Amino acid sequence: MRCGVRLFHLLLILVFAACGTPVYAQVTADPALFEGFRAADLRLATAGYRLSTANAALCDRLEPGHGIQVHTLDQYAPALRPAVAAHFRFAGALAVEGVVSGSPAERAGVRPDDTIVRFGDIGVAPQADGPASTDRLVAFWSAVAALSPTAPIRVDLLRAGVPLTVTIQPIPACRTRYELAITAALEASANGDMVRISSGYYDSFHGDLPVAAIAHELAHNILRHRERLKAVGAEFGLLSGFGRNMGFFRQVELQADTLAVHLLARAGYPADLASRFRQHPVAKARSGMFQSPSHPHWRDRLRVALAEEARIAANGPGAPFVAERDLPLTGDWRPLVPKP
């Protein structure tokens, strides 16, 4: 599964500059900091891999599910690259940050800190100087997503300077990459190709509760909500909560809430995860006077979660709205909220 573009190099610069401490010296002196970010990324990558592979049957856009979490030297600020290269043992521009437990990559023998020389027919260009950029990472994942979701992938690696070749037998996965943003703010979004969630979710919600938000965003991608909103001329941003826009956005939010409960069930998460997430004090507080009218009230969203959990308990998980993902949005959101 894809998990990638991080902003923590920017956070480090801001934090240590504010403290009057040289960035390079502080980073090299604190390897635990890098390991903390590795763990945070792997947590998201694991949830994304689990959701995307378990729900592949619902997705018409697939990629090879392999379980490698990749990072590049390019994405780090130039001042941090020597420390990053030393800590993560980069021997090139692209390396394995982590491996999802039980994934095809783990079974093939891929390990954290392996440097990727070639992935299938995808080569890796030498490292170049320049400002921090995610261009290489995004291009790499786009090329990987275009590979067959089931064909074996030969991967050439360097491990401690020694060449190594492994063959990964991927499994089909929904075509979505997962991005972690290091910020205390609660931010989650989906653009059709990517699910982005902030580390603030992991700070505010315990255990598996953040996975409910991840599943909601994946549901948006599965149902092609962003492109369907554009197709009906819905306006994003501040105008999303007004006029006809509000109906379209509430419709897609409630559809994603509904499908997300089924995605969680298919992936083997606790049956009440979605409803516990909606009842969490932080989730309730976000549905107050400062919330955009484009999003339903938390009570409506809780009713959806409880109704779908009861439906799944009686009949097993389904695929609500998947058969309608090629149809235009109507903006008729009220029938999607179960009556009290």
Side-chain angles (χ1 to χ4, degrees), residues 262 307-318:
H262 295 260
E308 295 308 309
E309 288 169 359
R311 186 171 290 111
I312 291 169
N315 303 309

Side-chain angles (χ1 to χ4, degrees), residues 12-13 22 27 33 48 63 78 100 109 115 129 155 189 195 205 235 239 243 257 269 277 281 297 299 302 316 328:
L12 292 173
I13 290 173
V27 171
L33 186 64
E63 67 181 17
V100 174
T115 294
D129 294 330
V155 183
S189 61
V195 163
F205 297 92
E235 297 184 75
L239 295 177
D257 284 347
Y269 284 100
F277 175 78
H297 193 276
R299 290 189 181 88
L302 175 59

Side-chain angles (χ1 to χ4, degrees), residues 81-207:
R81 287 174 190 162
V84 170
H87 181 84
F88 293 107
R89 303 176 187 175
F90 274 86
L94 187 72
V96 178
E97 188 183 11
V99 180
V100 174
S101 178
S103 67
E106 185 185 61
R107 291 193 292 272
V110 180
R111 298 179 187 173
D113 298 339
D114 286 346
T115 294
I116 298 175
V117 177
R118 178 168 289 274
F119 195 94
D121 60 358
I122 306 165
V124 179
Q127 176 65 34
D129 294 330
S133 170
T134 61
D135 290 349
R136 182 197 300 269
L137 189 62
V138 173
F140 174 77
W141 282 127
S142 296
V144 171
L147 298 175
S148 164
T150 56
I153 304 171
R154 171 182 166 135
V155 183
D156 296 329
L157 305 166
L158 284 174
R159 180 177 297 164
V162 179
L164 174 69
T165 297
V166 302
T167 299
I168 298 175
Q169 180 56 62
I171 60 176
C174 298
R175 185 176 296 185
T176 288
R177 67 184 176 93
Y178 295 86
E179 175 184 305
L180 180 67
I182 306 298
T183 171
L186 294 178
E187 299 175 354
S189 61
N191 68 2
D193 296 314
M194 176 182 69
V195 163
R196 185 175 189 269
I197 188 170
S198 68
S199 58
Y201 273 90
Y202 291 107
D203 296 334
S204 300
F205 297 92
H206 64 274

Side-chain angles (χ1 to χ4, degrees), residues 223-243:
L223 298 176
R224 301 181 186 171
H225 277 154
R226 179 165 287 268
E227 60 191 79
R228 291 167 68 195
L229 284 166
K230 290 181 178 179
V232 295
E235 297 184 75
F236 293 77
L238 294 176
L239 295 177
S240 64
F242 298 94

Side-chain angles (χ1 to χ4, degrees), residues 53-84:
T53 55
N55 291 287
L58 306 187
C59 298
D60 59 346
R61 301 169 181 175
L62 298 174
E63 67 181 17
H66 47 75
I68 298 178
Q69 175 191 6
V70 171
H71 59 163
T72 73
L73 277 178
D74 295 11
Q75 72 195 68
Y76 298 93
L80 296 181
R81 287 174 190 162
V84 170

